[in-house]
Amino acid sequence: MSYIIDRRLNGKHKSAVNRQRFLQRYRRHIREAVNDAVGKRSIKEMEQGERIVIPRKDISEPIFHHGPGGQRNIVHPGNREFQQGDRIKRPSGGGGQGSGSGDASNQGEGEDDFAFEIDPQEFLNFLFEDLALPNLVKRHLEGTRTFQIRHGGIVSHGMPAKINIVRSMRQASMRRRALTAASRRRLRELEEEREALLQQDQSPQRQARLAELDEHIERLRRRIDRIPFIDTVDLRYNHHIKVPVPVSRAVMFCIMDVSGSMNQDMKDLAKRFFLLLYLFLQRNYQHTEVVFIRHHTSAKEVDEEEFFYSRETGGTIVSSALKLTRDIIKERYPVEEWNIYGAQASDGDNWNDDSPGCAGLLEKELLPRMQHFSYVEVMPRAHQALWDQYEGIMGRHPDVFSMAQIDDPADIYPVFRQLFHKRMEAA
């Protein structure tokens, strides 16, 4: 048996395997740190790594040691202050009571909390863990370059690495049997005749015949042995073919309200949410397009730069964005070929006459074409008419529509996980 030992060094002379084991062991602490970091970061810092601090009590290693053994009688004194089940308060802080706080002390020793850095890739891995687009369906697309290698049978020519030993040995055995069938049959006849002569009295004629039989038998055995055990014509190889497979192609419509009712804090919340969504799509899905739509009284399809950094503003007509989304779907994204998703962020402030039209447009024209649509309302005040209209859609179509509210940056990541948690349909 051969063993292959990979002695190549990882980056910075660290073991990638050991690091993954370490990250797996302290997954809970890392996830909590990542969750806290999302709410504190600016948009430009979203793709950076993070410093993780693990309390020293959580990095202790279990050990085996000898117990006291034997039988002991211990009398525990009672008390007048506590009863069974009472919770004891934590002692108040003081000099030398903990690491990093309190006054200095001239005695005692301890250990600092363990801190380490995770790189941007690891940060994003923990950030988007257990998330997926809901109701994603694999569809076959013409012109796709996605293929899967599958077994295509057995062939007589191929690469040595693909040789099929069982089929080759079976072919060699059949060849030897076919080429030596007549010789083996004649050999059996001569051996039977020889055995019969040996049972009779040995006369000069019978001895001459035995010598002739022995010579003939030896010649047949040499002829049989000259047949090679395996020949080139016996070799058989596994054949693999490239088969086109259905691919999961999706398009995400990002619809952001930039009207005058959206102050800078609200716009920043919406941008943070869409940036998180954009990073999620770019990292986890290869065949995913993103369509950016900004709207006030009118809607416009823009590029990534203008979507996040343009300062254009105006009144509010939400239906203009939904109509533009519908028109783009009809023009560029056939329903039978694409998984279509939508995400809308707004403060909910809309013309009262326009909100019922938005609900009808969304329910009758967009949701039948989409896999899922998410609505996020970014406002710390009371809900507006648009939220009330969308609540009815939520009750009638909970599988393809979801909605949530974001009041401050700390709510963005929990809401994002609520909207895009991995469902059974997406597994």
Side-chain angles (χ1 to χ4, degrees):
M1 182 179 295
S2 300
Y3 296 92
I4 300 177
I5 301 177
D6 188 357
R7 299 187 183 278
R8 294 174 297 179
L9 297 177
N10 295 282
K12 299 182 180 180
H13 304 286
K14 296 179 180 178
S15 171
V17 176
N18 290 339
R19 181 171 179 82
Q20 292 303 318
R21 291 174 178 171
F22 176 81
L23 296 178
Q24 183 68 28
R25 179 174 181 179
Y26 296 103
R27 178 174 298 275
R28 180 177 62 85
H29 297 87
I30 300 175
R31 284 286 300 273
E32 292 176 355
V34 169
N35 295 352
D36 295 339
V38 174
K40 301 175 182 177
R41 293 186 174 192
S42 65
I43 294 178
K44 297 181 179 180
E45 297 174 344
M46 194 63 69
E47 294 187 77
Q48 296 181 3
E50 180 65 18
R51 180 179 176 84
I52 310 297
V53 178
I54 300 178
R56 62 175 180 265
K57 65 181 179 64
D58 293 324
I59 59 175
S60 60
E61 296 286 344
I63 59 174
F64 290 98
H65 58 87
H66 293 286
Q71 295 182 355
R72 297 181 299 160
N73 296 322
I74 301 176
V75 178
H76 296 281
N79 65 86
R80 300 179 180 178
E81 184 177 357
F82 300 104
Q83 300 293 331
Q84 183 177 0
D86 291 348
R87 300 178 64 87
I88 302 176
K89 295 182 178 180
R90 183 185 299 273
S92 58
Q97 294 295 322
S99 61
S101 62
D103 300 330
S105 173
N106 62 353
Q107 60 183 356
E109 60 182 13
E111 296 180 358
D112 292 333
D113 293 339
F114 179 73
F116 66 98
E117 299 281 344
I118 58 174
D119 58 34
Q121 295 294 333
E122 293 169 339
F123 179 83
L124 294 178
N125 286 339
F126 283 99
L127 188 65
F128 300 128
E129 186 179 35
D130 298 329
L131 298 180
L133 290 175
N135 308 323
L136 189 64
V137 178
K138 292 186 177 181
R139 307 181 188 275
H140 180 72
L141 304 179
E142 295 182 0
T144 179
R145 297 183 179 180
T146 302
F147 297 90
Q148 183 178 12
I149 303 300
R150 295 183 180 177
H151 184 67
I154 303 296
V155 295
S156 57
H157 297 84
M159 299 173 53
K162 294 186 177 182
I163 188 171
N164 189 308
I165 297 178
V166 175
R167 294 295 295 270
S168 298
M169 297 302 296
R170 184 188 302 173
Q171 185 68 25
S173 176
M174 292 189 295
R175 176 186 54 82
R176 291 196 307 271
R177 288 178 178 274
L179 294 179
T180 61
S183 298
R184 291 179 182 276
R185 184 169 56 253
R186 180 56 179 164
L187 180 62
R188 287 194 301 269
E189 293 174 355
L190 295 178
E191 289 178 343
E192 290 175 358
E193 182 181 353
R194 184 177 182 279
E195 290 295 330
L197 289 175
L198 290 176
Q199 301 298 328
Q200 302 175 10
D201 296 336
Q202 299 299 311
S203 63
Q205 294 81 3
R206 291 192 180 94
Q207 291 181 357
R209 179 56 180 169
L210 284 173
E212 183 182 353
L213 289 175
D214 289 340
E215 183 181 356
H216 199 176
I217 290 173
E218 183 63 25
R219 190 164 54 250
L220 286 174
R221 287 176 176 172
R222 288 197 302 267
R223 181 185 300 176
I224 294 173
D225 291 340
R226 282 197 298 267
I227 302 298
F229 180 78
I230 190 168
D231 202 344
T232 306
V233 297
D234 302 326
L235 298 181
R236 295 294 181 266
Y237 303 87
N238 295 316
H239 182 50
H240 296 89
I241 58 177
K242 293 173 62 177
V243 179
V245 297
V247 295
S248 300
R249 268 216 331 197
V251 56
M252 173 66 75
F253 286 85
C254 296
I255 306 171
M256 182 167 63
D257 184 358
V258 293
S259 61
S261 61
M262 291 274 291
N263 58 37
Q264 191 58 40
D265 293 336
M266 294 180 183
K267 291 180 181 179
D268 185 63
L269 290 177
K271 290 178 182 179
R272 284 171 176 261
F273 174 80
F274 282 121
L275 179 60
L276 202 61
L277 177 59
Y278 181 71
L279 292 176
F280 168 66
L281 296 174
Q282 292 295 316
R283 180 170 180 79
N284 293 283
Y285 297 95
Q286 182 179 2
H287 304 285
T288 302
E289 296 186 10
V290 182
V291 177
F292 297 103
I293 296 177
R294 292 165 57 96
H295 76 89
H296 36 82
T297 55
S298 61
K300 180 174 64 172
E301 181 181 358
V302 297
D303 57 16
E304 176 186 347
E305 183 72 18
E306 186 175 355
F307 182 81
F308 286 106
Y309 301 108
S310 176
R311 303 182 64 85
E312 182 183 3
T313 186
T316 309
I317 299 180
V318 178
S319 62
S320 61
L322 300 181
K323 291 179 181 178
L324 179 59
T325 301
R326 177 199 58 192
D327 296 340
I328 294 176
I329 292 175
K330 291 181 178 180
E331 180 182 354
R332 304 204 306 253
Y333 301 103
V335 177
E336 65 274 7
E337 297 181 0
W338 288 85
N339 292 279
I340 304 175
Y341 294 87
Q344 179 184 5
S346 172
D347 63 344
D349 190 9
N350 190 26
W351 292 104
N352 291 332
D353 295 340
D354 188 56
S355 295
C358 291
L361 187 64
L362 179 62
E363 185 172 17
K364 296 178 181 179
E365 299 196 44
L366 291 184
L367 289 186
R369 295 182 171 94
M370 288 186 167
Q371 305 299 111
H372 195 269
F373 190 92
S374 302
Y375 172 69
V376 175
E377 194 160 285
V378 286
M379 59 174 301
R381 56 181 185 267
H383 296 299
Q384 304 295 316
L386 189 61
W387 177 278
D388 297 333
Q389 294 290 335
Y390 280 178
E391 273 190 327
I393 300 177
M394 179 68 181
R396 293 187 294 270
H397 307 280
D399 295 335
V400 294
F401 183 82
S402 58
M403 56 193 300
Q405 180 179 355
I406 297 177
D407 294 336
D408 54 66
D411 297 335
I412 295 176
Y413 186 58
V415 168
F416 186 83
R417 294 196 67 88
Q418 171 190 341
L419 296 177
F420 296 102
H421 68 276
K422 185 173 293 186
R423 298 166 172 85
M424 293 300 296
E425 295 83 359

